[in-house]
Amino acid sequence: MAGLFCFSTSKRQISQLRACDWLDQTFNLVLLGPPGVGKTHLAIGLGLEAIDQGKQVAFVSMGELITLLKTEEYVRKSAIRLRRIRQADLVVIDDMMFMAMETREANLFFQLVSDLYEKSSIILTSNKGPDSWGKMLGDQGIATAILDQLLHRCEVIHMNGESHRMKHRESVFT
């Protein structure tokens, strides 16, 4: 990740992201941070802003995406959903690298990223930084190829803080 400008979000930066100008330039966003700090919340909010501005947006969790990719050739519903994802102006992929991938899954994911490259913007949320993706993908070569395309025009946003779930944790005991 050397050479990438990484930052925590300010109100000004959030306002710039909400303007969605970055979509016209096919910029990507990678939202990194521990669970519960608002990565998915921000990604969904930006997706809704894009919809309000007339953009086509697809939201998919990484687990669901892998299932779709693995069944695309055999399940008509998967093929239709993936066609919509490939045609979207913005694709939000939630929980990237939440679990390790098999080589075939990593190859399918790389193919999707290649299909979207310079045609669609991508927002990825992850609790693991790109430096650990090689281990999770099981192949440093595939990880490097994916990162090369994702990070070409990209902002990596580190979201820090305490989990909102833990902050507002409730107990059955009074």
Side-chain angles (χ1 to χ4, degrees):
M1 284 195 7
L4 289 178
F5 179 58
C6 303
F7 59 94
S8 292
T9 52
S10 68
K11 286 182 181 181
R12 189 181 116 266
Q13 291 161 336
I14 294 293
S15 179
Q16 283 181 294
L17 292 174
R18 288 183 64 199
C20 294
D21 295 335
W22 52 278
L23 291 171
D24 296 327
Q25 303 166 26
T26 60
F27 255 79
N28 299 319
L29 299 177
V30 175
L31 308 179
L32 299 176
V37 295
K39 300 178 301 291
T40 300
H41 185 81
L42 178 58
I44 291 170
L46 292 172
L48 291 173
E49 285 290 336
I51 290 168
D52 285 346
Q53 295 182 30
K55 304 291 186 186
Q56 290 186 18
V57 178
F59 179 92
V60 64
S61 70
M62 192 64 187
E64 180 185 4
L65 180 60
I66 293 301
T67 300
L68 291 169
L69 290 167
K70 288 168 59 174
T71 60
E72 180 177 20
E73 293 179 23
Y74 312 105
V75 179
R76 187 171 184 271
K77 188 175 180 180
S78 295
I80 291 168
R81 180 81 196 281
L82 281 165
R83 188 173 2 180
R84 288 183 182 146
I85 288 171
R86 287 184 178 102
Q87 292 172 346
D89 299 307
L90 172 62
V91 178
V92 179
I93 303 172
D94 194 34
D95 284 332
M96 170 77 178
M97 298 302 134
F98 185 68
M99 57 189 154
M101 287 186 208
E102 299 170 3
T103 304
R104 178 171 179 261
E105 295 169 340
N107 282 316
L108 290 169
F109 181 62
F110 168 72
Q111 197 60 46
L112 177 68
V113 170
S114 293
D115 291 346
L116 296 174
Y117 181 63
E118 294 193 330
K119 295 176 196 153
S120 304
S121 292
I122 300 170
I123 298 177
L124 288 176
T125 70
S126 182
N127 60 9
K128 294 182 174 45
D131 54 334
S132 66
W133 290 5
K135 187 187 305 179
M136 296 302 290
L137 289 166
D139 184 323
Q140 190 59 48
I142 291 173
T144 301
I146 290 170
L147 287 169
D148 181 60
Q149 291 182 3
L150 282 176
L151 300 179
H152 175 219
R153 281 193 301 269
C154 183
E155 290 295 340
V156 178
I157 302 171
H158 290 273
M159 299 179 69
N160 303 311
E162 182 183 357
S163 166
H164 69 87
R165 292 180 197 92
M166 293 297 108
K167 190 185 297 185
H168 301 289
R169 183 180 169 279
E170 296 180 16
S171 176
V172 295
F173 300 109
T174 54

